Amino acid sequence: MPVRGYNLPPKGNNRFHYGVSGSWSSCEYLPMGMARDRETGEIYYFEIEHSGSWEVEYGSGNAGQMYICLLGPNDESDWWKNLNPGETFTTVPAAFGICIGDESEAIAELTKYRRMIRRTNEDDKKCNIVFNDYMNCLMGDPTTERELSIIDKAAELGCEYYCLDAGWYDDGFWWDRVGEWKEASGRFPNGLQEVCDYAHSKGLKMGLWLEIEVMGVACKLPDDWFVCRHGKRHIDNKRYMLDFRNPEVRKYCRDVVDRLINDYGVEYFKVDYNVTMGYGSDLNSDSCADAIREHYECLHQWYEEIFRDHPELVVENCGSGGQRMDYGMLKILSLQSTSDQTDYLYNANIAANVASAVTPEQGGMWVYPYEDEEEHVIYNVVNGMLLRPYISGMVWKLGENSMNRMKEGISLYKEIREEVRDGVPFFPLGFGTLKSEVLAYGVKAEKNTYLSVWTPRTTEAVIPLENAEQVRRVSVIYPKEEMCGYKIENGNLVVKMPQEKAARLFKIEMK
């Protein structure tokens, strides 16, 4: 594509290059990006829809032209594939577009595209609210007694799903004991059914954590069930990795899912992937990197078959807290865990930016207060309001006022979630960084605009408003007692917070 202008430099050998090699598609960089033509105002935006290795390269070509190259696995990730006569091969899919404007316009177009390509599902239509018992909560140490008390809190708050997270399948240290997926009798003396039935009795749909692609090193299954190199099973942090190219593996994992659905009434799975197969398997493949590609083709097909038989099932793509955030997975799965960050202040940096990588309604964001203090709770709630809130935290420590703030936020989210579902994200201050004194992220819906503002390092914020002269009314909608000052001045929304480390959610109505 030409870069328009004068006195363009001659062709050079330099390039801008980034990518990921292995089976964590977003562990270093997101498989997407954008490039701006400063003279024309055009932005070129793109994504690679693959869960394994990928690369992006920009450079200058002949006659001052710029090129953008989007690649799946290739020779830089030790990929090759031998085609016999008559055989064909299709590269991993990618998307590319051009628009006039800034980052917000580009992400808005990507958001519309992502909604077009993903599997139609009821969860992304309803934007269900999930309570997950892990983050800043039980942290993988569940028991029947603890679960029942927290289920009471989740129901009181107005959540719709309850997900029992890690550790339910082993009495002690569970990390290297995954794979059988049967409840630990020491944790659940009357069985897991008691917990599931109790959640259902409270009007909640039940979910379980799974890490379906791995097994602990104690398993005794054949080598060809696993990722192997040099004649041995690849081990990553005391786990073997299942190879979904093997139909026996797919059947075993499908039987696990069907059993949990049929026996316990599970309607939600949080699917984790805390280890990586590195550069792949050398078993039954032309190259290690192609084994990863083939594994993911089979895994995606496996999910599609499950949804054909269980269309109401909700599956969250956790991937070790966002290490596999790509639209190879998110074309199929309705939810994405965006981080395992435990600090609510740092989590706001993710909340302010992550709609660039995932549609707002698919972006799971922790709302996990762990202090019984009003501004702490409000900050946590604002983190999730324009994404998909994952409720958690030390809810047993919260007093009446803090619980009421949580209830207020959840109730408001239910009022605005259809607008969030259909709106497009925008970033009035650009993308925030860890050094930003103010963070701002919003969603433009058909009738209203919603804007989250955080002040992690100051008490004042100045946010430019698009078409400020057309604004009819600005109001704080969370918390309902405004507890901050604000006005429109010189085309900006000027906010005065009551303290540092404060956050508010605004509604902007146009004339």
Side-chain angles (χ1 to χ4, degrees):
M1 64 194 71
V3 178
R4 301 171 182 85
Y6 301 97
N7 301 318
L8 293 170
K11 178 182 177 181
N13 291 324
N14 293 326
R15 62 174 183 165
F16 178 77
H17 169 266
Y18 63 97
V20 166
S21 180
S23 58
W24 270 350
S25 60
S26 55
C27 66
E28 294 180 86
Y29 301 98
L30 291 166
M32 60 167 294
M34 58 184 73
R36 182 200 304 273
D37 185 327
R38 293 177 179 175
E39 293 186 354
T40 67
E42 293 177 330
I43 284 191
Y44 316 125
Y45 55 88
F46 48 85
E47 68 179 19
I48 300 170
E49 295 156 6
H50 179 53
S51 305
S53 302
W54 58 270
E55 293 183 56
V56 172
E57 180 177 312
Y58 311 175
S60 58
N62 292 317
Q65 292 181 325
M66 184 180 89
Y67 70 87
I68 297 178
C69 187
L70 308 179
L71 304 166
N74 59 76
D75 56 356
E76 293 200 26
S77 52
D78 294 320
W79 175 86
W80 68 277
K81 187 171 185 65
N82 186 44
L83 291 180
N84 294 316
E87 292 182 336
T88 61
F89 173 75
T90 302
T91 62
V92 301
F96 177 87
I98 304 174
C99 70
I100 300 291
D102 60 11
E103 298 96 331
S104 292
E105 277 73 23
I107 297 303
E109 294 303 315
L110 264 176
T111 299
K112 296 172 188 176
Y113 166 76
R114 289 163 175 166
R115 287 171 174 156
M116 290 175 58
I117 65 171
R118 73 184 179 206
R119 177 182 63 90
T120 301
N121 66 89
E122 288 300 310
D123 181 56
D124 283 334
K125 291 180 181 178
K126 296 177 180 177
C127 297
N128 297 295
I129 299 174
V130 180
F131 190 105
N132 180 289
D133 72 9
Y134 187 77
M135 190 60 70
N136 294 333
C137 190
L138 295 183
M139 299 296 284
D141 192 16
T143 65
T144 297
E145 181 181 7
R146 292 168 182 165
E147 293 296 339
L148 298 187
S149 65
I150 296 176
I151 286 170
D152 285 340
K153 293 289 188 181
E156 179 185 349
L157 287 169
C159 299
E160 294 157 317
Y161 282 73
Y162 186 86
C163 183
L164 196 163
D165 210 285
W168 58 267
Y169 37 80
D170 195 87
D171 286 329
F173 179 70
W174 45 264
W175 181 265
D176 58 352
R177 304 283 294 175
V178 296
E180 192 174 13
W181 303 114
K182 295 180 181 178
E183 71 261 36
S185 59
R187 294 184 183 274
F188 306 97
N190 298 322
L192 192 60
Q193 189 72 57
E194 179 182 12
V195 176
C196 296
D197 288 346
Y198 191 74
H200 290 143
S201 75
K202 293 291 183 175
L204 294 162
K205 296 185 177 182
M206 188 65 195
L208 287 177
W209 180 96
L210 284 179
E211 195 168 358
I212 199 66
E213 293 166 70
V214 305
M215 281 191 174
V217 294
C219 67
K220 305 296 183 183
L221 295 165
D223 282 348
D224 65 357
W225 278 47
F226 302 99
V227 172
C228 293
R229 286 201 290 272
H230 313 299
K232 295 182 179 181
R233 300 179 189 183
H234 174 64
I235 300 174
D236 189 9
N237 204 358
K238 299 182 180 180
R239 271 97 172 274
Y240 296 136
M241 274 137 284
L242 290 168
D243 190 337
F244 269 63
R245 296 177 300 161
N246 186 327
E248 292 181 351
V249 169
R250 297 196 297 273
K251 181 182 184 304
Y252 174 83
C253 294
R254 177 60 190 270
D255 289 345
V256 168
V257 168
D258 286 344
R259 172 173 56 81
L260 295 173
I261 291 172
N262 295 330
D263 289 357
Y264 301 116
V266 172
E267 298 172 87
Y268 181 105
F269 288 109
K270 175 181 177 178
V271 177
D272 219 334
Y273 187 60
N274 286 307
V275 291
T276 172
M277 66 178 71
Y279 58 88
S281 177
D282 61 13
L283 191 67
N284 302 323
S285 187
D286 287 340
S287 60
C288 290
D290 199 50
I292 297 177
R293 186 193 61 80
E294 291 174 336
H295 166 85
Y296 276 126
E297 282 190 349
C298 293
L299 177 65
H300 295 164
Q301 182 181 1
W302 180 79
Y303 276 120
E304 289 168 351
E305 291 170 355
I306 287 174
F307 287 123
R308 280 198 290 269
D309 293 338
H310 303 285
E312 298 302 314
L313 180 68
V314 178
V315 177
E316 171 193 341
N317 180 39
C318 178
S320 197
Q323 304 279 23
R324 194 162 61 176
M325 194 183 326
D326 62 77
Y327 270 82
M329 298 295 286
L330 289 170
K331 285 180 183 178
I332 307 166
L333 308 183
S334 64
L335 270 167
Q336 173 67 55
S337 176
T338 54
S339 179
D340 278 348
Q341 173 59 248
T342 59
D343 187 310
Y344 75 107
L345 296 171
Y346 290 140
N347 213 33
N349 287 85
I350 299 167
N353 293 316
V354 78
S356 62
V358 60
T359 65
E361 66 275 18
Q362 287 180 286
M365 178 54 56
W366 289 112
V367 176
Y368 50 23
Y370 44 92
E371 296 175 7
D372 189 18
E373 192 276 322
E374 187 165 43
E375 290 294 341
H376 172 96
V377 173
I378 292 169
Y379 208 103
N380 266 281
V381 172
V382 172
N383 283 351
M385 289 295 282
L386 298 183
L387 296 158
R388 182 84 75 90
Y390 286 162
I391 311 300
S392 193
M394 298 179 186
V395 288
W396 58 87
K397 287 187 174 183
L398 300 183
E400 182 179 0
N401 184 61
S402 293
M403 284 292 287
N404 286 338
R405 284 292 183 215
M406 293 281 284
K407 292 177 189 177
E408 177 192 343
I410 290 170
S411 177
L412 176 62
Y413 178 77
K414 290 178 179 179
E415 294 178 18
I416 68 172
R417 58 184 168 184
E418 290 187 5
E419 291 184 272
V420 173
R421 176 197 68 192
D422 297 335
V424 294
F426 70 100
F427 309 88
L429 299 177
F431 298 132
T433 73
L434 292 175
K435 295 181 179 180
S436 297
E437 293 188 347
V438 178
L439 300 168
Y441 153 63
V443 169
K444 295 179 184 178
E446 183 177 355
K447 294 183 179 179
N448 302 302
T449 295
Y450 297 94
L451 178 67
S452 294
V453 178
W454 300 264
T455 54
R457 298 173 181 270
T458 185
T459 59
E460 297 186 4
V462 180
I463 315 294
L465 292 178
E466 187 179 78
N467 301 319
E469 70 281 358
Q470 296 298 316
V471 172
R472 180 173 65 85
R473 183 169 180 258
V474 175
S475 56
V476 174
I477 58 172
Y478 182 80
K480 59 185 176 183
E481 295 88 5
E482 297 174 349
M483 301 190 305
C484 74
Y486 59 94
K487 61 183 177 181
I488 297 178
E489 185 175 84
N490 299 324
N492 299 309
L493 174 63
V494 180
V495 180
K496 175 68 174 177
M497 294 292 193
Q499 63 174 59
E500 288 189 9
K501 302 177 184 177
R504 296 294 184 267
L505 179 63
F506 291 85
K507 179 179 181 179
I508 302 169
E509 301 169 73
M510 307 301 287
K511 293 177 183 178

